[in-house]
Amino acid sequence: MPRVKLQRFTDNATRPDIIEPGKPEYEQLGGRWRTDFFREPHPLTLEVGCGKGEYTVGLAQRYPGRNFLGLDIKGERIWRGSTRAAEMGLTNVGFVRMRAEALAAQFGPGELDEIWITFPDPRPRDRDIKRRLTSPRFLALYEQLLTSGGLLHLKTDNEGLFEYTLETLAARPGTTVERFTRDLYAETAAEFTEAQAIQTNFEGKYRAIGVPIKYVQFRLT
């Protein structure tokens, strides 16, 4: 393992804003994130598959009256997000290293107020449908962890995943799609919020080559 990566893993083990396997808090904070992890018991937003944490940190910067968690399985990515948050002096943001499939082990029922899914792996093969982060399997998990009427967002560059998500939501009883667009940035600035306008480096690269960014906002109950 490269020395730099090893050092970052070592850093993660000592950073209080990162929860990962091996730390005593891991799988112990369910139902108590607001009171035992964050300084203030604000509403809690989770980004599933946060990558380098650009979106999670961007949200935390824009909304100091809310708490934000970024979830990803890659320790080096989380290190980058944690480092960026520290450089900005943010105290309303943290990171969890784990797979999305195990969300129920980390969060209590109704503990989350909002979920963002930003540029996930589209899993284009049919055999991987159940692994898509907007599949019925994951939607049922999100519903369990969200407060009643909790809000969800998907941003993606992938047309196939976007259309699959819309079809899945349309077939799911009790689901309300509040807004969707196949080209977010073709709209005027007045038509989308600061949160929707946050751009990751990955997103910027796709926009630079003319790939439209798709977005859908919905509630499961």
Side-chain angles (χ1 to χ4, degrees), residues 141-214:
L141 180 57
Y142 303 149
E143 183 176 14
Q144 173 186 341
L145 301 180
L146 282 164
T147 58
S148 179
L151 195 60
L152 296 98
H153 312 260
L154 169 71
K155 284 181 81 174
T156 180
D157 61 285
N158 188 272
E159 183 73 26
L161 177 64
F162 185 69
E163 295 301 330
Y164 165 82
T165 300
L166 292 181
E167 293 171 4
T168 302
L169 295 177
R172 194 176 192 279
T175 297
T176 302
V177 175
E178 297 187 343
R179 178 170 172 237
F180 72 92
T181 174
R182 291 178 173 82
D183 193 348
L184 179 63
Y185 294 98
E187 303 181 7
T188 64
E191 292 179 297
F192 59 87
T193 67
E194 286 188 17
Q196 294 159 0
I198 295 171
Q199 281 192 58
T200 66
N201 182 60
F202 179 86
E203 183 175 356
K205 289 180 179 179
Y206 273 94
R207 288 195 67 203
I209 60 175
V211 176
I213 304 303
K214 295 84 175 169

Side-chain angles (χ1 to χ4, degrees), residues 21-103:
K23 291 190 174 182
E25 305 94 335
Y26 188 73
E27 293 190 0
Q28 301 298 316
L29 286 167
R32 299 184 290 109
W33 282 94
R34 288 182 180 88
T35 57
D36 291 11
F37 183 79
F38 289 104
R39 295 185 182 183
E40 301 291 340
H42 295 314
L44 180 57
T45 296
L46 174 71
E47 183 187 3
V48 181
C50 69
K52 297 176 183 178
E54 296 159 296
Y55 221 92
T56 301
V57 173
L59 288 168
Q61 180 186 23
R62 285 164 173 79
Y63 301 100
R66 299 181 66 92
N67 293 324
F68 297 90
L69 285 170
L71 181 149
D72 204 280
I73 191 59
K74 299 291 187 179
E76 188 174 20
R77 295 176 185 171
I78 284 179
W79 179 90
R80 292 178 182 272
S82 170
T83 299
R84 184 177 292 109
E87 290 172 348
M88 298 173 68
L90 299 174
T91 60
N92 63 327
V93 59
F95 297 90
V96 187
R97 186 169 71 82
M98 62 176 295
R99 295 189 181 278
E101 292 87 344
L103 274 169

Side-chain angles (χ1 to χ4, degrees), residues 118-134:
T118 53
F119 302 94
D121 187 334
R123 307 286 183 186
R125 295 180 296 185
D126 288 344
R127 69 182 185 183
D128 286 338
I129 286 178
K130 67 179 182 179
R131 299 178 68 191
R132 295 174 186 169
L133 291 181
T134 55

